[in-house]
Amino acid sequence: MSKPQKSLIALLAVLLLFFGFVVVRIGVAKPAAAVKVTKIPAGEYDPAVWGQYYPLQYASYKHTTDESPSPTGYGGSIKVQKSEMQPELTMLFKGMPFSKDYAEDRGHEHALEDLRESKRIGPASKGACITCKTPYVEQAYKEMGWGYANKPLTEMMGNAKQTIACANCHDPSTMNLRVINPAFIEAQARRGIDVTKASREDMRSFVCAQCHSEYYFEPGTTKVIFPWDKGVKPADMYAYYSDKPNGFAQDWQHPDSKAPMLKAQHSDYELFSTGTHGKAGVSCADCHMPYTRKDGQKYTSHWVTSPLKTLGDSCSPCHSQGTAWLQERVKNIQDQTFELQHMAGQNIVKAHEAISAASTQPGVDEAGLVRARELVRKAQWYWDLLAAENSMGFHNPSQALNTLGQANELAHQAIEAANAAAGIKMF
Ligand code: HEC
Ligand code: HEC
Ligand code: HEC
Ligand code: HEC
């Protein structure tokens, strides 16, 4: 072979390798084999009706009622109280409903039933709670606008009937992905994102982000709002809340420290979108709704659960390491996150106690107490963003540890501030 021929072959080999790589990577996000689309009437929320036309997707969706633990011991699909592993939760949420009932999440088909049975709801609960539990939210918003959010929850649950199903994520006439939670649509619009123009790749995470995100209720109207106007990192959302947006100052006052507290909620999207996988363009569906096969037919698994139950389908399209290695990596991240989370939680409990003890000291410095309360509020916010997040750090390992490290430091600062306000060292 002449020299130019050799160079040409070398060049071809490099090109082949390069395009081969690209094909493999993009191949992961290719739509499953084309399905025949059947037009389903708008407002049809019963998944069994959709299931007649899309039997593989429907059969896998029905698995969301399965109940089994996660192999790493975190997460899982069994309703256990989170306080069993973290007894500090009861003290941290003292004075609010999460101290009474805070169970591990289960699959989507349980959502409405678990809301109905929750000890966190009562006669005063508002319709806003149905927002992430049912496709009926589409109809409710169409008929009443945000008015549905302030109606009694019992009335809205009575109307809802259907738990999370196809219509939460799909347009019934085209089967294209869509989002129907008005709070998500509005929050994205405020950030300059028109969700009706989002790419298919983005929609594979947006359908999840419409529910798996942090939110608060607007005082008076109970309208659901996502706190994303300044960004989705812990400090951005804290800064947003510090401005008392729409008159919202706190979720509740802690009865011991009297601090004005915030309750964080399932911030899966916030953590994921700023992490390695989110930044690399991996979507929630890539891991939680992997492509799978039945009788040679490729389709999207609708058994939305822990990817550790489907490591081969979920991770192996991108990672060549074996499933045992991957599971060990996940467990390692989760163990490290849990250790720091547990430690921070216990230190925040001490901070509430220190502030409470300081406040009973004669001649206590009131301004100093206010400073200590601000510190414990912030510490618990940082801690809770991780405690309320569902992957025990996996969705963004480095930010998880950073945020928990800050929570720990802020808890110590709160204790010191309480000591200084009291004028004696109590803790
Ligand atoms: C939590 C959101 C969600 C729910 C609920 C949901 N889907 Fe999907 N579905 C998806 C995603 C994500 C895809 C992948 C779409 C893509 O990549 O373009 C998908 C894809 C599909 C497809 C295209 C073929 C395939 O397998 O990729 C069909 C058909 C489908 N879903 C039917 C259903 C049916 C029927 C139900 C109810 C039983 C349902 N879906 C419920 C999110 C959802
Ligand atoms: C309409 C709101 C809604 C949408 C859309 C939604 N989720 Fe959920 N998800 C929930 C709720 C509520 C629960 C908890 C249900 C319970 O505990 O009864 C849940 C539970 C889960 C669980 C726990 C399942 C288990 O087996 O423990 C996973 C994982 C999950 N969702 C991932 C996703 C992903 C990924 C998407 C997008 C493809 C998504 N969810 C879309 C509201 C939603
Ligand atoms: C790179 C893969 C990957 C991506 C992308 C991803 N997750 Fe996860 N997710 C995981 C792993 C791994 C766990 C830990 C599961 C366990 O502990 O059993 C997890 C846990 C969860 C859980 C708790 C499951 C349980 O068993 O209780 C929820 C809910 C969840 N993820 C939602 C989401 C949402 C929503 C998105 C997108 C915003 C997302 N995930 C993106 C891999 C992923
Ligand atoms: C669509 C492709 C894709 C899928 C699916 C995927 N990953 Fe990744 N993963 C990546 C990329 C890209 C990176 C960053 C670059 C690298 O390390 O190769 C990464 C990084 C990681 C890391 C390094 C730690 C970190 O977060 O930075 C771990 C651990 C990991 N993935 C585990 C998993 C597991 C477990 C699953 C399945 C539940 C999974 N991945 C699914 C593409 C993917």
Side-chain angles (χ1 to χ4, degrees), residues 42-45 130-131 134-144 148 167-168 170-172 178-182:
E44 177 56 73
Y45 298 142
I130 64 156
T131 307
T134 169
Y136 165 71
V137 71
E138 183 198 32
Q139 187 187 331
Y141 187 75
K142 223 176 248 163
E143 288 170 1
M144 298 169 246
Y148 84 85
N168 279 104
H170 290 285
D171 179 323
R178 68 161 185 193
V179 288
I180 57 170
N181 179 352

Side-chain angles (χ1 to χ4, degrees), residues 17 60 83 141 206 213 236 238 297 302 305 338 350 397 400 426:
L17 270 175
S60 57
S83 54
Y141 187 75
F206 284 3
S213 299
D236 301 331
Y238 193 76
Q297 213 179 322
H302 280 62
T305 187
F338 182 76
K350 273 191 212 137
M426 302 165 306

Side-chain angles (χ1 to χ4, degrees), residues 89-101:
L89 291 181
T90 318
M91 265 299 293
L92 292 167
F93 296 128
K94 196 170 170 183
M96 68 97 79
F98 276 86
S99 63
K100 286 187 255 162
D101 188 358

Side-chain angles (χ1 to χ4, degrees), residues 68-70 72-78 80 85 104-105 306 334 390 392:
S68 64
S70 154
T72 59
Y74 303 100
S77 321
I78 299 173
V80 286
M85 257 175 107
E104 174 57 37
D105 60 4
S306 163
Q334 292 184 323
N390 285 298
M392 195 51 81

Side-chain angles (χ1 to χ4, degrees), residues 25 28 276-277 280 282 286-287 307 314-315 318-319 326 330 394 397:
R25 294 308 305 269
V28 168
T276 310
H277 285 106
V282 183
D286 284 328
C287 294
S314 291
C315 322
C318 299
H319 292 283
L326 285 163
V330 176
F394 176 79

Side-chain angles (χ1 to χ4, degrees), residues 201-210 212 268-269 272-273 277-278 281-290 304-305 307 314 395:
E201 255 325 299
D202 282 344
M203 287 307 284
R204 287 168 56 86
S205 291
F206 284 3
V207 289
C208 319
Q210 61 177 327
H212 288 264
D268 301 312
Y269 179 68
F272 149 83
S273 61
H277 285 106
V282 183
S283 68
C284 311
D286 284 328
C287 294
H288 287 278
M289 301 185 69
V304 178
T305 187
S314 291
H395 290 147

